[in-house]
């Protein structure tokens, strides 16, 4: 009888340990299309330089042909998962691939650097590469848990230290969380989106509707040359997807955003 009780206790401890291990572990996921020549020297390099291991990274590609091309170019210990083509489709695939409640660091495949705000000797605001990226990532998830939120991210404008300096260092309310570098505690409801593009806008809105806001580090920003880089979401149909996405969001969330006119188009602004 005593032996049986000891065996049961050990089994329960093992189950508890496994569950705690699963909760603690974070996965890094990068959807990528036709950027097998550059991803190793951009987003992957940023992660490795920050101290992450190759086996912590999952790359999601469109098909078997893409898998072969990526496998030839990137670190052999990085997982490559065949998903599906399309921005909305691959995002849905990724969030369904992982379990509810898993911690996910999600980033685009063309991140060049993550920079932080600082004051130089003359007191002016400047930007420099961040040295403690892993600490910021951990802090993002810690703050989410502390404030019962599921989404955190960085400042969306990467080249304007003045604007960044005018913001509180960390905010917790209704803010736009840019999709090129963000973390989430996987919530399939929050990530179940209607738009074919601009998913970061709708995710920010749904985070607010479901949880009351999100965490944003306003003195840290990722840098990328999104519109200049080939591959990724830059295809001939993107303008149509953007137009559809704006219409869907205006019809679905009319009280939560508006469209600001620019020289050649409009840009969503969260109210």
């Amino acid at each position: 009888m005593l032996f049986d009780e000891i065996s049961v206790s050990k089994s329960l401890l093992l189950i508890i340990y496994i569950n705690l291990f699963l909760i603690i572990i974070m996965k890094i996921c990068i959807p990528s299309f036709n950027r097998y020549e550059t991803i190793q020297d951009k987003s992957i390099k940023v992660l490795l330089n920050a101290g992450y291991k190759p086996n912590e990274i999952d790359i999601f590609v469109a098909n078997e042909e893409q898998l072969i091309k990526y496998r030839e170019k990137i670190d052999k210990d990085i997982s490559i998962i065949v998903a599906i083509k399309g921005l909305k489709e691959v995002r849905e695939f990724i969030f369904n691939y992982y379990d509810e409640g898993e911690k996910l660091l999600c980033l685009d495949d063309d991140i060049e650097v993550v920079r932080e705000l600082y004051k130089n000797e003359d007191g002016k605001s400047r930007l420099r590469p961040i040295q403690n990226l892993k600490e910021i990532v951990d802090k993002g998830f810690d703050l989410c848990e502390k404030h019962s939120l599921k989404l955190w991210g960085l400042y969306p404008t990467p080249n304007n230290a003045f604007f960044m300096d005018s913001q509180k260092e960390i905010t917790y309310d209704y803010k736009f969380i840019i999709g090129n570098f963000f973390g989430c505690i996987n919530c399939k409801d929050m990530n179940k989106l209607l738009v074919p593009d601009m998913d970061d806008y709708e995710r920010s809105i749904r985070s607010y509707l479901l949880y009351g806001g999100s965490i944003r580090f306003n003195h840290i920003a990722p840098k990328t040359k999104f519109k200049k880089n080939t591959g990724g979401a830059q295809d001939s149909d993107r303008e149509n997807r953007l137009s559809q996405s704006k219409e869907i969001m205006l019809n679905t969330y009319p009280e939560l955003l508006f469209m600001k006119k620019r020289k050649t188009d409009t840009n969503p602004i969260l109210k």
Side-chain angles (χ1 to χ4, degrees), residues 205-238:
I205 292 170
R206 292 193 59 76
S207 177
Y208 170 70
L209 290 174
L210 290 168
Y211 301 107
S214 54
I215 306 293
R216 195 170 81 179
F217 296 99
N218 293 309
H219 293 178
I220 304 171
K223 183 176 183 295
T224 177
K225 295 174 183 173
F226 174 68
K227 292 184 178 180
K228 293 182 180 179
N229 293 329
T230 58
Q234 304 304 313
D235 59 51
S236 58
D237 194 47
R238 185 156 197 262

Side-chain angles (χ1 to χ4, degrees), residues 31-264:
S32 189
F33 181 71
N34 268 348
R35 287 182 175 158
Y36 45 87
E37 296 282 1
T38 58
I39 187 173
Q40 184 74 41
D41 292 327
K42 291 189 177 182
S43 295
I44 293 174
K45 184 178 180 180
V46 169
L47 292 167
L48 297 181
N49 286 345
Y52 290 106
K53 301 290 191 296
N55 61 8
E56 297 178 90
I57 303 170
D58 292 339
I59 307 292
F60 291 83
V61 300
N63 50 48
E64 294 287 342
E65 180 183 353
Q66 290 275 299
L67 183 149
I68 293 170
K69 292 178 178 179
Y70 276 81
R71 188 76 285 165
E72 292 175 349
K73 299 293 183 179
I74 69 173
D75 193 295
K76 62 181 179 59
D77 292 325
I78 293 175
S79 296
I80 304 177
I81 298 150
V82 175
I84 190 170
K85 187 177 179 181
L87 178 65
K88 179 178 187 291
E89 291 78 9
V90 72
R91 291 291 192 195
E92 287 180 345
F93 182 98
I94 288 171
F95 294 123
N96 287 323
Y97 180 85
Y98 297 106
D99 292 333
E100 185 85 5
E102 264 193 280
K103 294 177 181 178
L104 307 177
L105 176 61
C106 309
L107 61 154
D108 286 354
D109 54 10
D110 57 351
I111 301 297
E112 297 177 0
V113 65
V114 178
R115 298 189 294 180
E116 64 178 350
L117 185 73
Y118 78 102
K119 300 279 189 181
N120 63 9
E121 293 180 356
D122 61 5
K124 293 184 178 180
S125 298
R126 295 287 186 268
L127 296 173
R128 65 186 177 192
I130 195 168
Q131 299 300 314
N132 62 335
L133 183 59
K134 284 189 77 172
E135 292 178 22
I136 295 300
V137 170
D138 291 341
K139 186 175 182 179
F141 288 113
D142 290 344
L143 288 174
C144 279
E145 292 178 333
K146 181 179 179 180
H147 294 273
S148 300
L149 298 171
K150 301 290 185 183
L151 180 67
W152 68 265
L154 308 179
Y155 195 69
T157 306
N159 296 315
N160 198 316
F162 175 79
F163 284 155
M164 292 171 72
D165 198 23
S166 68
Q167 302 283 320
K168 290 182 179 179
E169 183 177 359
I170 304 174
T171 49
Y172 306 86
D173 54 353
Y174 180 42
K175 289 286 189 297
F176 171 56
I177 303 299
I178 193 166
N180 60 8
F181 195 110
F182 69 96
C184 71
I185 299 174
N186 194 18
C187 170
K188 299 182 192 300
D189 193 11
M190 180 179 73
N191 289 307
K192 189 175 182 180
L193 308 179
L194 301 173
V195 293
D197 209 306
M198 310 185 85
D199 59 303
D200 42 8
Y201 283 94
E202 189 176 10
R203 185 179 302 105
S204 302
I205 292 170
R206 292 193 59 76
S207 177
Y208 170 70
L209 290 174
L210 290 168
Y211 301 107
S214 54
I215 306 293
R216 195 170 81 179
F217 296 99
N218 293 309
H219 293 178
I220 304 171
K223 183 176 183 295
T224 177
K225 295 174 183 173
F226 174 68
K227 292 184 178 180
K228 293 182 180 179
N229 293 329
T230 58
Q234 304 304 313
D235 59 51
S236 58
D237 194 47
R238 185 156 197 262
E239 289 303 319
N240 289 330
R241 296 199 308 270
L242 291 175
S243 179
Q244 291 173 27
S245 297
K246 292 172 187 178
E247 183 177 355
I248 289 170
M249 286 192 289
L250 280 175
N251 290 334
T252 309
Y253 314 104
E255 303 300 320
L256 294 173
L257 83 162
F258 66 95
M259 295 296 160
K260 182 179 180 179
K261 289 185 178 181
R262 299 191 295 193
K263 289 182 179 180
T264 58

